[in-house]
Amino acid sequence: MEGDTEERQVQARFVTKLKAPYKAPATAITIPANLTRLGLSTIVNSLLKAGNPEWENQPFDFLIDGELVRMSLEQFLLAKGISAEKTLEIEYIKSVAPRKQEEPSLHNDWVSAVDGSCPRFILTGCYDGFGRVWRGAGQCTHMLEGHSDAITSVGIINHGGTDSVTVATASKDQTLRLWKFDTEEHKNHPTTIRAFKILRGHNASVQSVAAETSGSMICSGSWDCTINLWRTNESDTEGNLVSIKKRKVKNEAEESQLEGESFSTLVGHTQCVSAVIWPERETIYSASWDHSIRRWDVETGKDLSKIFCGKALNCVHIGGEGSALIAAGGSDAILRIWDPRKPGSSAPIYQFSSHTSWISACKWHDKSWFHLLTSSYDGKVMLWDLRTAWPLAVIESHEDKVLCADWWKSDSLISGGVDCKLCISSDISIL
């Protein structure tokens, strides 16, 4: 029969874990085999509209046997060896892509660091040496002043109660600084604050900072190939670890700033330590330009395991199933994911290769086993789902290299770059 290929039909049943009003009747219906996700979305929306005239169309994504459909049904069934004769069970989920771009928040220089782990504000670090606190798009509440060179990394140490927050910044000036501020101060113009403690000990640019979960310690990775551990308390009761320095401030009142020294140094990397994370009290992970990811025992200072991937690494993060999967990206533009629980775990279990330049950041979503984001010098931020090899969304809100990215409030992506902008892409349905 002519034209048979275009008119092939399959029996399908649409199911979902979404609650009402997203539940369509799960009866089997006949649909064209050449539909892609847009056509499938149209069908689900019309089923939902039939039961609810008020229904407004929504974009959906589709899973068959736990894998996202990213081609026509026909091609998918063929690729997976699934019989087109049986009734297909197609699960639909809300499409994961930002529905809104906020106005960019402008900085005076490259935006090199961002932390979105506190829902009340966004913390950024900039090449002009200032840290900035943003209540939302375009609303800068605090300027963190004191570094003499570019900030490379920022980290929120504790979110405090409703008010006081402690954060850390790392800089090319070879120091880290600790800051305290009140997030509830609503002023029309930003308040300039100074650090309460300066941490000296690295003898090259500090590239990355991460806080231990309780907030009592932080660790830092540096171009000097070491990782230093520091205490974050404000007191000078650490005996000779802290000396109070009097500094002249514009010849006016003298101001005291604590100086801290590291209490432990982890040695083993042979090149720049580009990223550190501290997911649980006894374990630090680091990534380096020496092509390795290392897991360190905080107590003994030894590296317990190493994964080598043959490329300089720029970022590392832990998350996904059981908060155990290691994601890392670097110079060859491939996002790699390892599962250290599997024997012979030096081979990645996933490799995603849609970026075309250095990966600058990778971050797991805090509430999903499947989702993570990446940013790259190719100017793009990508949103990934482990159930498909293609990015769920490609966000092109920057005009140049993207240097940093994070999640904010579970439903927004935040990113900073060489175009001096902090961009917020919001209204993402992951959950």
Side-chain angles (χ1 to χ4, degrees):
M1 189 176 131
E2 278 189 65
D4 184 41
T5 48
E6 277 124 59
E7 290 163 26
R8 286 198 51 199
Q9 307 270 312
V10 290
Q11 288 275 318
R13 180 184 288 114
F14 289 95
V15 298
T16 189
K17 296 188 180 82
L18 297 168
K19 306 275 186 286
Y22 287 92
K23 269 203 185 326
T27 43
I29 55 172
T30 305
I31 58 174
N34 61 1
L35 289 181
T36 58
R37 51 196 276 244
L38 289 175
L40 294 169
S41 242
T42 306
I43 289 179
V44 170
N45 276 302
S46 59
L47 290 171
L48 292 166
K49 211 175 186 71
N52 172 9
E54 307 293 297
W55 179 258
E56 287 185 19
N57 282 359
Q58 296 252 359
F60 291 105
D61 264 315
F62 299 88
L63 295 148
I64 297 175
D65 289 348
E67 189 166 339
L68 277 158
V69 178
R70 276 288 181 271
M71 48 189 88
S72 76
L73 269 184
E74 201 154 26
Q75 291 166 316
F76 185 89
L77 299 180
L78 200 61
K80 299 289 161 196
I82 300 169
S83 160
E85 304 302 311
K86 62 173 197 173
T87 301
L88 279 179
E89 189 158 284
I90 304 176
E91 183 186 349
Y92 59 97
I93 57 178
K94 288 183 192 175
S95 176
V96 175
R99 297 194 172 90
K100 196 167 152 208
Q101 290 288 345
E102 315 278 343
E103 277 298 304
S105 304
L106 300 178
H107 293 61
N108 297 337
D109 208 331
W110 296 5
V111 183
S112 44
V114 65
D115 186 333
S117 61
C118 181
R120 297 199 305 279
F121 65 90
I122 298 167
L123 176 64
T124 60
C126 180
Y127 262 60
D128 63 4
F130 283 90
R132 287 171 176 81
V133 180
W134 304 84
R135 196 164 61 228
Q139 301 172 287
C140 181
T141 58
H142 297 79
M143 301 277 288
L144 314 185
E145 181 188 39
H147 282 294
S148 58
D149 205 338
I151 291 179
T152 50
S153 180
V154 295
I156 298 170
I157 296 171
N158 66 44
H159 303 176
T162 47
D163 39 25
S164 182
V165 169
T166 313
V167 304
T169 52
S171 167
K172 287 180 186 278
D173 69 11
Q174 306 185 7
T175 71
L176 295 111
R177 286 167 195 247
L178 304 180
W179 319 74
K180 253 194 169 40
F181 54 85
D182 186 338
T183 55
E184 294 308 302
E185 292 177 293
H186 291 313
K187 297 204 173 75
N188 296 335
H189 53 86
T191 312
T192 301
I193 57 173
R194 294 179 71 77
F196 69 80
K197 198 172 190 181
I198 302 171
L199 307 178
R200 299 182 195 275
H202 284 297
N203 53 34
S205 171
V206 189
Q207 288 301 104
S208 180
V209 61
E212 186 265 331
T213 42
S214 76
S216 62
M217 296 175 281
I218 58 170
C219 66
S220 55
S222 164
W223 268 106
D224 65 15
C225 309
T226 67
I227 298 162
N228 277 346
L229 275 56
W230 319 78
R231 297 188 208 287
T232 57
N233 57 1
E234 284 174 82
S235 70
D236 56 340
T237 54
E238 297 169 49
N240 58 4
L241 283 184
V242 168
S243 61
I244 292 184
K245 297 269 166 138
K246 298 279 188 208
R247 296 198 183 283
K248 287 267 191 257
V249 183
K250 298 197 185 99
N251 295 327
E252 291 167 21
E254 287 193 338
E255 185 179 319
S256 65
Q257 265 178 317
L258 296 174
E259 291 210 353
E261 292 172 13
S262 62
F263 66 86
S264 177
T265 301
L266 310 180
V267 180
H269 282 297
T270 57
Q271 297 252 344
C272 168
V273 180
S274 49
V276 286
I277 48 172
W278 200 335
E280 47 201 28
R281 191 174 177 84
E282 57 283 350
T283 314
I284 287 170
Y285 289 83
S286 59
S288 166
W289 284 29
D290 68 11
H291 304 176
S292 74
I293 296 165
R294 298 181 190 225
R295 180 167 67 95
W296 302 84
D297 181 313
V298 172
E299 208 54 39
T300 63
K302 299 271 186 294
D303 54 351
L304 302 175
S305 66
K306 307 179 191 54
I307 296 171
F308 284 93
C309 79
K311 295 293 170 210
L313 292 168
N314 229 13
C315 53
V316 65
H317 200 229
I318 306 281
E321 184 188 344
S323 298
L325 304 185
I326 302 170
S331 61
D332 68 350
I334 295 175
L335 172 67
R336 291 178 174 85
I337 295 168
W338 292 267
D339 187 344
R341 300 166 300 183
K342 288 194 159 61
S345 54
S346 58
I349 54 167
Y350 297 100
Q351 299 194 75
F352 297 121
S353 51
S354 295
H355 282 298
T356 54
S357 186
W358 272 72
I359 294 177
S360 53
C362 57
K363 273 293 178 78
W364 291 95
H365 191 275
D366 62 346
K367 296 189 175 71
S368 164
W369 277 12
F370 303 109
H371 295 92
L372 70 166
L373 63 81
T374 52
S375 62
S376 165
Y377 291 0
D378 63 15
K380 298 179 173 74
V381 176
M382 293 189 186
L383 186 45
W384 301 91
D385 185 315
L386 298 186
R387 295 166 294 189
T388 178
W390 291 274
L392 285 185
V394 178
I395 297 150
E396 302 188 63
S397 41
H398 290 279
E399 285 122 53
D400 206 326
K401 294 185 179 79
V402 187
L403 302 177
C404 54
D406 199 0
W407 297 97
W408 188 42
K409 301 198 220 182
S410 289
D411 72 344
S412 299
L413 299 182
I414 52 177
S415 55
V418 168
D419 58 6
C420 309
K421 290 174 183 170
L422 163 71
C423 292
I424 305 174
S425 309
S426 58
D427 203 6
I428 301 170
S429 308
I430 281 194
L431 306 169

